[in-house]
Amino acid sequence: MSEHEAASGLSTNVDGRVLVMERTFHAPQSLLFQAYSDSKQLSDWWGPKGWETENRTFEFKPGGTWHYCMRCMDKNQGDFYGQESWGKATFNEIVEPEKIVYTDVFADEKGNAVEGMPEMEITIEFKENKGNSKLVVISEFATEEQLNEVLGMGMIEGFNSQLDRLDDHLEKHQ
């Protein structure tokens, strides 16, 4: 088990095939939940800095699909510039404004899962705390090797950058 806390307040914990990331935001729980449950808001901040997200499909209901593409628009990101990263999620459980559970896979432009890439079961918890909200993201992989693969791809750094964008988004919407 390892633990790490970034200057921005992101704490991470790896335990076997489970990655837990937590961060507190100066926003109410309902606003944080809306940032994840509204397609337009989600596309405003999803993805690391310098990337834009297009939500091709967004059916926010149990059994619904979210098919999205992140594109690097920042020329300063070298080889990443112009790259696309497609994903597809299936919502399994939604408890407003407390929890979203979905299965996420790397996908192609048509929404087909990419063979050989890890599938993640993601649980997002939104916890109210005296006007602030704690975001807890639990990513469970089939194996420790799959978790290590996405960690090697820079998952924590990318997610932390994405949460910085979420923080900016929340400030504008309060």
Side-chain angles (χ1 to χ4, degrees):
M1 197 171 346
S2 64
E3 197 162 323
H4 173 281
E5 179 141 2
S8 64
L10 179 70
S11 66
T12 62
N13 183 46
V14 175
D15 188 1
R17 55 191 184 89
V18 178
L19 169 65
V20 179
M21 298 180 283
E22 298 182 8
R23 182 162 163 179
T24 298
F25 293 90
H26 302 294
Q29 176 190 35
S30 60
L31 194 61
L32 186 58
F33 186 88
Q34 280 178 2
Y36 271 87
S37 61
D38 177 82
S39 179
K40 182 178 178 341
Q41 287 192 49
L42 191 60
S43 66
D44 284 346
W45 64 268
W46 187 265
K49 287 184 180 179
W51 292 66
E52 290 181 359
T53 295
E54 169 197 347
N55 291 330
R56 180 75 49 98
T57 308
F58 190 79
E59 304 162 324
F60 191 69
K61 61 185 181 188
T65 299
W66 172 31
H67 182 213
Y68 61 94
C69 178
M70 298 184 299
R71 290 182 185 90
C72 184
M73 308 303 283
D74 181 0
K75 291 180 179 174
N76 295 321
Q77 292 191 23
D79 291 343
F80 289 109
Y81 176 66
Q83 269 192 16
E84 291 187 348
S85 179
W86 288 87
K88 186 175 181 183
T90 303
F91 295 106
N92 302 321
E93 181 184 1
I94 298 169
V95 181
E96 186 174 349
E98 299 166 4
K99 180 166 70 167
I100 301 169
V101 180
Y102 63 95
T103 304
D104 196 18
V105 297
F106 291 89
D108 64 18
E109 191 174 340
K110 294 180 179 155
N112 301 308
V114 175
E115 287 292 319
M117 293 298 284
E119 178 177 291
M120 298 159 265
E121 179 78 18
I122 312 239
T123 301
I124 304 172
E125 297 174 347
F126 307 87
K127 299 182 177 186
E128 184 79 31
N129 184 9
K130 300 175 187 165
N132 290 331
S133 301
K134 180 186 270 191
L135 179 73
V136 180
V137 179
I138 304 158
S139 302
E140 188 172 338
F141 295 80
T143 65
E144 286 183 46
E145 291 74 25
Q146 285 184 349
L147 172 54
N148 289 328
E149 183 179 349
V150 298
L151 290 175
M153 293 175 179
M155 180 179 183
I156 291 173
E157 297 81 1
F159 190 69
N160 193 39
S161 176
Q162 176 173 295
L163 293 184
D164 288 344
R165 292 183 65 197
L166 173 57
D167 202 25
D168 293 343
H169 172 84
L170 293 169
E171 281 183 25
K172 285 187 253 171
H173 289 85
Q174 288 200 60

